[in-house]
Amino acid sequence: QVQLVESGGGLVQAGGSLRLSCAASGSISSINDMGWYRQAPGKQRELVAVITSGGSLNYADSVKGRFTISRDNAKNTVYLQMTNLKPEDTAVYYCNANIQLFRRAFPTNTWGQGTQVTVSS
């Protein structure tokens, strides 16, 4: 089994910063893409940022220049540094990872439980 555990959410004023972390645990052979998604009330879940195993990055236009995704492969952890936060960034943020487990033929797409980020105006 594999598990993603997120931390770092909370309440912050507009213009503030937060750093989210997501650590993967289990019988992990390797991790491919790791990313962050978010879902605001009444809206669909959307991509925020993705980082590949090779370090390629992809960001939603709405967060470019404000958010930075990074990963520590030795710790099986992905981070999301969020700066200049806006009220429209308020959402539940979910970690996602494509994980190859030992003794499994194919990678497993795994989600974290979500962490709430609230930005007050």
Side-chain angles (χ1 to χ4, degrees), residues 39-111:
Q39 187 167 17
K43 295 187 177 182
Q44 289 188 331
R45 190 173 298 187
E46 63 176 2
L47 171 70
V48 176
V50 172
I51 181 167
T52 70
S53 58
S56 297
L57 309 175
N58 186 35
Y59 293 97
D61 288 342
S62 59
V63 306
K64 284 180 180 177
R66 300 189 298 121
F67 290 10
T68 302
I69 189 170
S70 61
R71 63 191 284 172
D72 185 333
N73 292 326
K75 296 181 179 180
N76 291 332
T77 299
V78 62
Y79 306 96
L80 186 68
Q81 179 68 49
M82 304 183 292
T83 63
N84 191 21
L85 282 160
K86 304 176 180 180
E88 51 264 41
D89 294 317
T90 295
V92 177
Y93 284 69
Y94 296 91
C95 174
N96 176 267
N98 189 256
I99 300 174
Q100 180 63 58
L101 301 175
F102 288 111
R103 297 180 296 279
R104 295 290 180 91
F106 302 104
T108 301
N109 192 45
T110 304
W111 292 91

Side-chain angles (χ1 to χ4, degrees), residues 24-44:
S25 62
S27 299
I28 298 171
S29 173
S30 62
I31 303 179
N32 301 315
D33 293 359
M34 303 185 81
W36 292 94
Y37 292 71
R38 67 186 181 187
Q39 187 167 17
K43 295 187 177 182
Q44 289 188 331

